[in-house]
Every structure is written in structure tokens, then in C-alpha cells.
Amino acid sequence: MNYFTKILLLCFSLSAHSTEPSKLSDLRLLQWKNRIILVDNLHNQHKVLALFDKNKSEMKERDIIWFVLTGDEAHTNYQGALSDDFIAKTRNSYQLEPGKIMLIGKDGGVKFLLDRMDLEAIFTEIDAMPMRQNEMVH
């Protein structure tokens, strides 16, 4: 009976662990599903967050996930959890410099780099992309 109980507990713990959602640790996991806007250490972070909030529908329409990184904190519209090393890994992978805004396409490539927030320019850049042109037709 003791052996059976141990097997049962092992099965329950494995099943509980497997249903736990994984944390996002690498932006490549969003590749081919989302475009990404990365913002790093902007002085007017609250204005950027308000601008992103104001343009929620335009962001959703273009499949944009955004991350505003400040120190060791991340603000995002990503619905899942972020891994503990997400910020460091992202800054390292993309050589993101403080005060920069980066647009990453669905293919994972860097498409646009800005020194100041210009959401209209980002939307224009996205809307000119062949993949986006195809999305707008269908």
C-alpha cells in the first residue's frame, strides 16, 4: 500500500507540474506570432505606457507585444509570466541600449531602431511590411 501511495503522489506531482504555465524567457518564442516593441530605460516611461494603453486596438490589430524595461523591471502587454532572467537575456540578445526603442518583426529580425518614441512611425513601418500587407488583405 505504501508503494502504491508513493506512485500515486508521483503521478499527481508530475501532472501538476506539467500544467503549470511556462514563463517567457526568450523573445524567439514569440517569433512568427507577434511583432515586438522593446523600450529600454526611457526617462518618460509613464508617457510611453499611457501611449501604448491609448493605442491598444492598433497594437492588437498589428499583433504587437511590447516590453518597457526599466532597471530590473518590465512592463508589458504580454499575458503570461516572464522568467527571472528575461530582462537581462533580452538586453543581451538584442544589445538594447538605454533610451532606445526597437521594433522586432515576426521573423525575429530587428526592423527599426528609434531614439525617441514615435508610435506613428512604428505603425507606418509595420504597415509597409510585406507580411503586414498580406494580413491587411485577408
Side-chain angles (χ1 to χ4, degrees):
M1 192 76 164
N2 194 9
Y3 179 74
F4 178 73
T5 305
K6 287 179 182 177
I7 295 292
L8 197 56
L9 285 173
L10 179 64
C11 288
F12 279 126
S13 68
L14 288 175
S15 115
H17 182 69
S18 66
T19 59
E20 187 177 295
S22 61
K23 293 181 177 184
L24 182 66
S25 63
D26 191 331
L27 290 178
R28 287 180 288 204
L29 297 173
L30 301 175
Q31 193 170 337
W32 301 115
K33 293 178 266 184
N34 298 100
R35 294 173 182 94
I36 298 164
I37 297 175
L38 285 178
V39 180
D40 192 26
N41 286 318
L42 282 185
H43 296 292
N44 59 349
Q45 165 190 312
H46 60 283
K47 288 182 182 178
V48 171
L49 292 172
L51 182 65
F52 285 172
D53 189 53
K54 181 182 173 191
N55 289 278
K56 273 185 200 173
S57 62
E58 290 87 348
M59 297 280 202
K60 185 174 182 171
E61 180 184 318
R62 291 171 177 86
D63 301 322
I64 296 173
I65 299 288
W66 53 262
F67 298 90
V68 177
L69 309 178
T70 307
D72 60 354
E73 195 175 284
H75 299 276
T76 182
N77 64 341
Y78 179 70
Q79 296 298 307
L82 304 178
S83 69
D84 293 339
D85 64 345
F86 175 82
I87 295 171
K89 204 176 212 181
T90 300
R91 282 184 175 134
N92 189 43
S93 294
Y94 292 94
Q95 299 297 304
L96 194 58
E97 296 177 23
K100 300 289 183 184
I101 297 108
M102 181 181 288
L103 172 64
I104 300 169
K106 285 187 174 182
D107 64 356
V110 175
K111 305 299 180 188
F112 206 39
L113 191 61
L114 296 165
D115 292 325
R116 62 179 182 80
M117 179 51 68
D118 185 345
L119 201 51
E120 284 306 313
I122 291 172
F123 287 163
T124 300
E125 184 72 18
I126 290 171
D127 291 345
M129 295 174 179
M131 192 178 294
R132 173 71 179 138
Q133 294 283 314
N134 190 40
E135 291 168 0
M136 291 190 294
V137 172
H138 293 89

